[in-house]
Amino acid sequence: MADRVLQKLQRLELVLLIGQYAQNYYLLQQGLMKEHKTLTQRVRHFEECPTPYFPLPHPSPRNQIWLKKNPWFYDDCIPALRETLNSLKN
């Protein structure tokens, strides 16, 4: 059903793929980013992700350990996401 909804959107500029299940469905099943097999690898290499997708970890409190182990997420991914969102406002 989600695919049918996405196909109907006329100006789809950004799709946040939050968590491994979303990333597996939209990236791996389409053969995209197949060299990055884990969520961490896909998020780390977000710039390689085809437009309009942007992979992110799930914001669950259970992921606090992941966030502490991957400080680059706040340094690299969050600013890039902010920049992407700001560019879409115009």
Side-chain angles (χ1 to χ4, degrees):
M1 178 161 147
D3 291 330
R4 290 186 291 188
V5 171
L6 290 177
Q7 289 172 358
K8 297 219 182 264
L9 297 175
Q10 295 176 357
R11 282 192 53 210
L12 185 61
E13 299 180 58
L14 180 63
V15 175
L16 300 178
L17 298 177
I18 300 173
Q20 70 175 336
Y21 295 116
Q23 292 170 23
N24 289 346
Y25 184 82
Y26 286 99
L27 298 175
L28 299 183
Q29 284 191 7
Q30 296 178 42
L32 304 170
M33 294 190 81
K34 57 187 172 189
E35 65 278 6
H36 303 299
K37 302 211 182 299
T38 67
L39 175 134
T40 300
Q41 291 171 344
R42 289 188 295 270
V43 173
R44 179 80 167 150
H45 299 281
F46 67 91
E47 69 280 348
E48 297 175 27
C49 196
T51 303
Y53 301 122
F54 198 106
L56 295 168
H58 195 281
S60 166
R62 295 178 64 181
N63 280 341
Q64 293 304 310
I65 294 170
W66 187 93
L67 293 169
K68 286 180 184 176
K69 286 183 181 179
N70 299 286
W72 51 262
F73 176 72
Y74 290 111
D75 297 335
D76 302 334
C77 296
I78 295 299
L81 179 58
R82 283 187 181 127
E83 184 178 313
T84 300
L85 290 169
N86 286 331
S87 72
L88 295 176
K89 288 181 187 178
N90 302 325

